[in-house]
Amino acid sequence: MQKSPLQIARQSYQPKMPQALRSSLQIKEGAKTQSVADQEEIQRLFPNTYGMPVLTFEATDNADSQATKTNAINVGVILSGGQAPGGHNVICGMFDALKAINPDNQLYGFLGGPSGLIEGQYQLLTGNIIDDYRNTGGFDIIGSGRTKLEETWQFDKGIEVCNKLGISAIVIIGGDDSNTNACVLAEYYKQKNCGIQVIGCPKTIDGDLKNEMIETSFGFDTACKVYSELIGNIQRDANSAKKYWHFIRLMGRSASHIALECALQSQPNVCLISEEVEAKNMTLNDIVEEIAQVVVERAKAGLNFGTVLIPEGLIEFIPAMRTLIQELNDLLADNAAFTSLEGDEAKREYIKLKLTDASRELYRSLPKAIAKQLTMDRDPHGNVQVSLIETEKLLIEMVSKRLAQLKAEGSYVGKFSTQHHFFGYEGRCAIPSNFDADYCYSLGQTAVRLIQAGKTGYMSVIRNLTAPAAEWIAAGIPITMMMNMERRNGKLKPVIQKALVDLKGKPFRYLEENRAEWADANTSYIYPGPIQYYGPSEVCDQPTKTLVLEHTCK
Ligand code: FBP
């Protein structure tokens, strides 16, 4: 493997860890827990893993304090869903912890995501392999995938494969859906008494796997820092050339955490927040008007340039668009008649005939390219793939039209030249920031401590993340505690609650209080610059603004 000088230097970076994970530790058990909602139903569905206590690892002088499994064990690890910086370090943390407990312990990586478990595709992870991936971005050590583990035959196949490899514990590194599946798997294996523990790890750049117990998901920190650097660079260019409005769409399938954090880091002229759009019941035209007004005001001061941040999931939060998308989802599911139609026009006409009046009107009003994107292949959950919908182009086209009207009326005198960008894949595999490198390594270490303590159905969690790493708290949280019942594909299912942007939370309120100033003629851009891996701690080890604001709120 060819390595860059930075990669070589990072290989020897020793991640910082909570003090408790460096010493002999003891487990402190909290009180019994219950799910966030629908307690009776969740308890009925998870009789064996419901109600378990929160576990905290604490340093102790007593070397025998943790119930140790002295025999060598084999553990499997799965990367699930979209890439997030730091995934390799979770695996490195697991590997180092396993070998420290017993050098004969083995770690197997299941290849290509959850399907690797079912299909028996695996790789034994050796010290040499692990060393090549320390502190690197990406998930390429074993690959990832989006296969859902939710059916009994898949679970049974997993038992067969684990038995063949002598695996007694699996760690699933994933987002809300993958951890929900981890919980179902843990319950099934416990009920079957098959001796396989299941532990989850909170991953997703989207930042929407967080709650009272999980302060942030890993990867969010690095991805937001990469995007903010790029936004800052664009803002400096805009402020130098003074000729373009830049419309920048940012990843985040549904929640707007990434857009919000990038706005806090870079102070753009406009940042849309999908959750606010929904709460205010805004239409597409309302959003266009909001942007157009900022363009008009800046033009009055001779500033015909600026930046607009757009969360990827925006389109689904506009109530009328959501209805249209829902109708399209239902209409296009297994629709052979539609698929067999030749040509875009025929498909367009077919759809127009089947939609309700309001949705047809909206569909017709959209630029053809966007309307077509709305009908493209669905993801494995039957949802429209928002990462493929070019909302930034849609908004540019609509704002242009509105400005032309305003110009005709004499209330706009500027020039509106635009550039569009989509930042997503640029950040998902970046070299993890020190924060993510440290955080992920600690998550991996904690996952092994949970296995060592014989636990199942827990998520590995690190808390107190705005403090120096030595003061972080390593914990295990019962996954059932984060669950509620939600309608998915027409059926009520137990799932981990997704965390959208809290409009009463400190990070959004900070944006709300400052955005008029950021939009104003006096440019307040911040240029964050690239992630720094070496140097003063106040530059290298800072958590996201979101985390800091959330903690100062407490
Ligand atoms: P996860 O929820 O699996 O972490 O993935 C998140 C994400 O990066 C979203 O931000 C984005 O919409 C989606 O994955 C893109 O998926 P794909 O990799 O299939 O294009």
Side-chain angles (χ1 to χ4, degrees):
M1 189 194 283
Q2 288 271 352
K3 291 179 187 147
S4 71
L6 179 62
Q7 202 178 328
I8 294 165
R10 288 299 283 174
Q11 223 167 309
S12 56
Y13 173 77
Q14 187 50 51
K16 300 184 277 300
M17 279 202 290
Q19 195 49 44
L21 295 178
R22 294 196 176 281
S23 14
S24 304
L25 40 80
Q26 61 183 358
I27 301 179
K28 206 175 132 201
E29 282 198 4
K32 278 177 77 96
T33 57
Q34 49 176 7
S35 58
V36 279
D38 308 310
Q39 290 82 8
E40 251 175 54
E41 189 57 6
I42 304 286
Q43 180 162 23
R44 190 184 67 74
L45 292 167
F46 296 90
N48 296 289
T49 51
Y50 188 85
M52 300 184 297
V54 169
L55 306 173
T56 315
F57 293 99
E58 291 182 353
T60 172
D61 296 335
N62 177 2
D64 301 327
S65 55
Q66 191 180 350
T68 33
K69 274 188 177 175
T70 44
N71 294 338
I73 56 165
N74 292 350
V75 171
V77 62
I78 297 172
L79 290 166
S80 181
Q83 287 69 250
H88 287 161
N89 266 29
V90 179
I91 297 177
C92 295
M94 285 179 63
F95 181 87
D96 290 349
L98 281 168
K99 294 292 178 187
I101 292 166
N102 183 338
D104 292 331
N105 286 343
Q106 304 276 32
L107 179 60
Y108 287 90
F110 287 107
L111 303 178
S115 61
L117 173 67
I118 308 160
E119 291 160 12
Q121 298 291 322
Y122 59 86
Q123 155 118 54
L124 176 66
L125 296 170
T126 61
N128 285 343
I129 297 175
I130 289 288
D131 284 347
D132 266 344
Y133 289 91
R134 288 186 189 274
N135 308 303
T136 56
F139 275 8
D140 43 326
I141 186 170
I142 50 174
S144 185
R146 291 197 185 276
T147 303
K148 282 173 77 69
L149 283 183
E150 55 181 1
E151 293 183 40
T152 310
W153 71 265
Q154 296 174 312
F155 304 162
D156 290 335
K157 224 39 202 139
I159 299 179
E160 251 175 57
V161 172
C162 287
N163 285 346
K164 184 180 131 201
L165 297 172
I167 288 177
S168 59
I170 304 170
V171 174
I172 298 182
I173 303 171
D176 51 342
D177 283 337
S178 307
N179 275 288
T180 295
N181 295 341
C183 193
V184 176
L185 194 63
E187 175 67 29
Y188 185 80
Y189 285 175
K190 192 143 185 208
Q191 178 213 321
K192 283 224 141 183
N193 204 13
C194 64
I196 304 171
Q197 300 160 246
V198 184
I199 301 293
C201 258
K203 170 236 72 166
T204 177
I205 61 160
D206 292 3
D208 55 9
L209 176 49
K210 69 171 176 180
N211 49 45
E212 275 298 296
M213 291 294 152
I214 304 171
E215 294 179 12
T216 188
S217 53
F218 79 75
F220 177 70
D221 184 270
T222 310
C224 288
K225 284 174 179 162
V226 171
Y227 305 143
S228 297
E229 181 208 349
L230 299 175
I231 295 162
N233 295 350
I234 285 176
Q235 293 188 153
R236 195 125 220 182
D237 192 283
N239 206 26
S240 307
K242 303 194 188 297
K243 65 177 180 187
Y244 293 124
W245 270 92
H246 294 267
F247 282 60
I248 305 166
R249 177 165 50 110
L250 292 156
M251 246 189 193
R253 186 191 300 275
S254 41
S256 308
H257 298 292
I258 293 181
L260 176 56
E261 171 63 24
C262 291
L264 298 176
Q265 288 192 31
S266 63
Q267 302 189 175
N269 301 110
V270 178
C271 175
L272 302 172
I273 298 294
S274 308
E275 291 82 346
E276 184 184 23
V277 165
E278 184 177 45
K280 291 184 172 167
N281 207 4
M282 289 170 81
T283 63
L284 201 46
N285 285 336
D286 294 334
I287 297 169
V288 168
E289 192 60 32
E290 193 173 296
I291 300 170
Q293 284 314 317
V294 176
V295 175
V296 168
E297 284 309 307
R298 284 177 65 82
K300 282 182 192 160
L303 304 175
N304 290 303
F305 66 91
T307 44
V308 180
L309 303 191
I310 304 154
E312 179 182 76
L314 176 71
I315 204 102
E316 286 194 298
F317 282 76
I318 302 169
M321 284 299 276
R322 175 173 280 175
T323 310
L324 167 62
I325 289 171
Q326 198 49 58
E327 284 183 31
L328 288 171
N329 283 350
D330 294 346
L331 176 62
L332 301 181
D334 301 322
N335 189 333
F338 175 77
T339 328
S340 65
L341 288 171
E342 299 259 333
D344 291 348
E345 262 324 300
K347 289 186 170 162
R348 215 177 134 74
E349 287 312 310
Y350 176 88
I351 286 170
K352 281 199 289 195
L353 276 178
K354 305 278 178 182
L355 293 174
T356 57
D357 290 349
S359 290
R360 183 182 314 113
E361 215 32 61
L362 179 57
Y363 181 79
R364 284 171 54 161
S365 72
L366 295 172
K368 281 192 178 171
I370 300 288
K372 185 177 168 195
Q373 284 162 11
L374 288 177
T375 62
M376 286 190 305
D377 284 347
R378 275 26 194 172
D379 73 5
H381 308 273
N383 299 318
V384 68
Q385 298 191 58
V386 284
S387 65
L388 302 180
I389 299 175
E390 296 168 313
T391 334
E392 67 284 19
K393 291 189 185 165
L394 169 69
L395 289 176
I396 285 178
E397 194 168 323
M398 294 184 74
V399 172
S400 278
K401 279 194 186 144
R402 178 66 185 135
L403 290 172
Q405 277 173 1
L406 293 172
K407 197 168 248 181
E409 291 164 14
S411 44
Y412 171 59
V413 287
K415 186 166 179 293
F416 187 62
S417 302
T418 57
Q419 296 286 347
H420 56 84
H421 314 263
F422 170 40
F423 297 151
Y425 302 98
E426 290 80 351
R428 288 204 316 188
C429 283
I431 297 178
S433 61
N434 284 353
F435 176 88
D436 271 330
D438 301 345
Y439 177 39
C440 290
Y441 190 79
S442 304
L443 283 172
Q445 287 265 339
T446 305
V448 168
R449 305 303 180 146
L450 288 165
I451 293 169
Q452 190 188 12
K455 305 297 173 189
T456 191
Y458 275 83
M459 198 184 293
S460 164
V461 163
I462 303 290
R463 296 168 53 75
N464 201 27
L465 289 169
T466 50
E471 294 164 33
W472 289 355
I473 296 164
I477 310 295
I479 303 179
T480 50
M481 192 182 172
M482 306 169 204
M483 287 194 156
N484 70 160
M485 300 298 292
E486 285 178 27
R487 193 160 287 284
R488 297 279 168 97
N489 293 334
K491 285 192 196 136
L492 266 184
K493 291 208 161 170
V495 291
I496 296 177
Q497 265 184 347
K498 204 182 258 307
L500 299 179
V501 167
D502 176 6
L503 299 181
K504 294 200 179 85
K506 196 90 187 282
F508 177 75
R509 287 198 345 250
Y510 188 89
L511 171 83
E512 207 176 25
E513 282 155 21
N514 290 283
R515 62 184 164 193
E517 197 183 314
W518 300 349
D520 199 25
N522 297 315
T523 300
S524 334
Y525 298 146
I526 290 181
Y527 314 116
I531 294 175
Q532 300 297 311
Y533 299 95
Y534 302 97
S537 193
E538 63 273 20
V539 179
C540 298
D541 298 320
Q542 290 309 303
T544 55
K545 304 254 183 228
T546 302
L547 255 184
V548 172
L549 284 165
E550 282 170 349
H551 276 247
T552 52
C553 185
K554 284 174 187 162

